[in-house]
Amino acid sequence: MAATDYGIVTGWMNAYLAKKKKPTKNGPQTMSQDRRPITESEMIGLFEFYLRKWCEENEGKDTVVITNSDGKKIFKATLLDKEN
């Protein structure tokens, strides 16, 4: 399977990497059985990657503010260790 066949979805207790399901005429699709939970260390690793990349692209800044779709601040993340 190609990587494009999978997406990140959230469930009741976790986030998952799951195979995308095509919509049908019968209504909404349930989550694919072809899935696996995304571990906490994977989530943190991806966020660290995002934060380091953001700081590189915005030279002189070490803090990113995350907002929701309404622009309300959800949290701030500051890169304390600038060595990679």
Side-chain angles (χ1 to χ4, degrees):
M1 291 288 156
T4 56
D5 293 338
Y6 291 81
I8 295 174
V9 296
T10 54
W12 178 60
M13 295 285 288
N14 211 337
Y16 298 89
L17 185 59
K19 185 175 179 185
K20 295 177 184 174
K21 292 182 84 173
K22 294 180 182 177
T24 65
K25 295 180 255 179
N26 298 333
Q29 293 291 299
T30 59
M31 189 184 304
S32 172
Q33 292 298 314
D34 185 1
R35 67 178 186 261
R36 72 165 183 84
I38 300 173
T39 66
E40 287 182 11
S41 61
E42 289 172 324
M43 289 182 215
I44 291 168
L46 283 171
F47 188 76
E48 179 186 353
F49 174 80
Y50 171 82
L51 180 58
R52 288 187 184 281
K53 185 176 179 217
W54 188 92
C55 290
E56 283 178 15
E57 292 172 354
N58 295 275
E59 291 181 35
K61 296 185 179 180
D62 63 356
T63 302
V64 63
V65 176
I66 306 298
T67 61
N68 67 10
S69 59
D70 296 328
K72 181 180 176 185
K73 292 179 185 178
I74 300 171
F75 65 91
K76 290 185 199 180
T78 301
L79 182 61
L80 301 175
D81 179 10
K82 301 199 174 45
E83 294 181 25
N84 202 359

